[in-house]
Amino acid sequence: MTTYRFAVSVMPKEGILDPQGRAVEGSLGHLGLDGVRDVRVGRRVELSVEAPDEAAARGTVERLAGELLANPLIEGWAVEMVESVVGVPG
Amino acid sequence: MKAGIVVFPGSNCDRDALHAARLAGMDAELLWHEDPGLRGSDLVILPGGFAYGDYLRAGALARFSPVMRAVHDHAERGGPVLGICNGFQVLAEAGLVPGALLRNASLRFEHRWVRLSVERRDTVFTKAIPAGAALRLPIAHGEGCYFLPGPQLDALEARGGVLFRYAGPEGNPNGSARDIAGVINERGNVCGLMPHPERASEALLGSEDGMLLFRSLLESAAAVAAR
């Protein structure tokens, strides 16, 4: 078995009101920064999965993302593998 | 009629709901979220609060509580389920009512009195509400902005899925689509609303309009028993 480390990025869908992003954007002026626009605030979740291969691990993470980490009605997500460690047979 | 009020870790309106249900004349008890069953409840109430700390999204984790399997089965059998505030968020996450509750457009936790128009009076939740009457109920939430994609929203309206709307001078407190404060599933036995009927159960609290929902449920149960 191999342990795969994944990162799931969850973002509000296009067109969904994102008051957090708007609030962050609203405070940029206080920093004296110009030219920053379209701030969107989402969430990144990291997790490890033990599986025989990457495809199986990715399948588990996709299911987890669609059923729990994101609400498909309002959020989109992207799954990215960040690390894999092959288990040492004992 | 026996009401079962589900207590999740972080629920905080469970006792208020218990009080209101008993005041209305129901036999009522608290159910624990790890209970596999509903202990013979005819009505299930998912109360307000912050189930599982509202981590991830409000209602997202509560949806996977063991008791929710039984709540799904109860709803499938046609049993009434009422979700109040956080309970509405749990129902939406569980797919028992359509839609999602987003962060309030104001970004603030909104707690105040609102006025509700009652869109239908032919449901088990609203049948005792006098014609023309608007309800005065309190709200207290940070994520109550009702959302459904446009075409689905039209379909919801067309089938009479909107049960309550924010109305009157108090207005829409959270930016909800089409001023929606409460919805009902297609079958008509699962209702979720953001305002708190159980907090408007006695004149001493500023309004007793909330009792009309509990009385509606009692009347409906009595009508079924008489058949």
Side-chain angles (χ1 to χ4, degrees), chain B residues 74-222:
Chain B
H74 176 75
E76 249 167 53
R77 285 193 303 268
V81 180
L82 175 64
I84 301 167
C85 194
N86 194 224
F88 182 12
Q89 295 162 338
V90 175
L91 289 178
E93 282 284 341
L96 285 167
V97 292
L101 285 313
L102 306 175
R103 183 76 55 102
N104 293 343
S106 64
L107 269 180
R108 292 196 191 94
F109 186 92
E110 299 286 353
H111 54 110
R112 52 184 150 113
W113 289 91
V114 295
R115 204 165 295 270
L116 298 184
S117 68
V118 182
E119 305 290 302
R120 287 178 59 184
R121 287 177 166 77
D122 61 341
T123 77
V124 295
F125 302 95
T126 55
K127 66 184 301 181
I129 300 174
L135 304 182
R136 192 166 168 272
L137 300 179
I139 55 156
H141 59 250
E143 286 98 14
C145 176
Y146 187 79
F147 172 82
L148 200 59
Q152 292 181 48
L153 206 49
D154 290 337
L156 178 78
E157 297 258 21
R159 73 156 173 85
V162 178
L163 202 47
F164 303 106
R165 262 185 245 271
Y166 299 108
E170 293 87 350
N172 178 341
N174 52 31
S176 284
R178 300 189 194 172
D179 302 327
I180 293 170
V183 298
I184 188 164
N185 68 338
E186 197 148 8
R187 188 166 176 181
N189 64 317
V190 183
C191 164
L193 80 166
M194 288 312 296
H196 287 272
E198 83 287 8
R199 291 190 188 179
S201 56
E202 294 183 64
L204 186 65
L205 299 171
S207 166
E208 43 190 357
D209 290 355
M211 289 309 278
L212 291 168
L213 272 85
F214 291 90
R215 272 188 222 124
S216 296
L217 285 158
L218 261 181
E219 273 185 26
S220 306

Side-chain angles (χ1 to χ4, degrees), chain A residues 10 13-24 43 45 65-75, chain B residues 55-57 60-61 63-64 92-93 98-107 145 147-149 152 174-175:
Chain A
V10 180
K13 275 187 181 168
E14 206 60 45
I16 297 278
L17 185 71
D18 174 20
Q20 289 188 91
R22 218 170 47 184
V24 171
R43 176 187 293 118
V45 181
E67 286 184 20
L68 174 62
L69 302 181
N71 179 340
L73 197 59
I74 52 173
E75 295 166 322
Chain B
Y55 294 133
L56 204 56
R57 287 178 313 279
L61 301 180
R63 173 194 160 192
F64 294 101
E93 282 284 341
L101 285 313
L102 306 175
R103 183 76 55 102
N104 293 343
S106 64
L107 269 180
C145 176
F147 172 82
L148 200 59
Q152 292 181 48
N174 52 31

Side-chain angles (χ1 to χ4, degrees), chain B residues 23-86:
Chain B
L23 199 63
M26 293 177 190
D27 178 17
E29 70 168 309
L30 300 176
L31 305 174
W32 184 233
H33 70 113
E34 285 181 330
D35 289 352
L38 303 173
R39 290 193 227 147
S41 303
D42 307 300
L43 161 70
V44 176
I45 300 177
L46 304 188
F50 302 85
Y52 292 85
D54 273 359
Y55 294 133
L56 204 56
R57 287 178 313 279
L61 301 180
R63 173 194 160 192
F64 294 101
S65 283
V67 76
M68 287 304 291
R69 173 53 38 209
V71 174
H72 269 277
D73 293 345
H74 176 75
E76 249 167 53
R77 285 193 303 268
V81 180
L82 175 64
I84 301 167
C85 194
N86 194 224

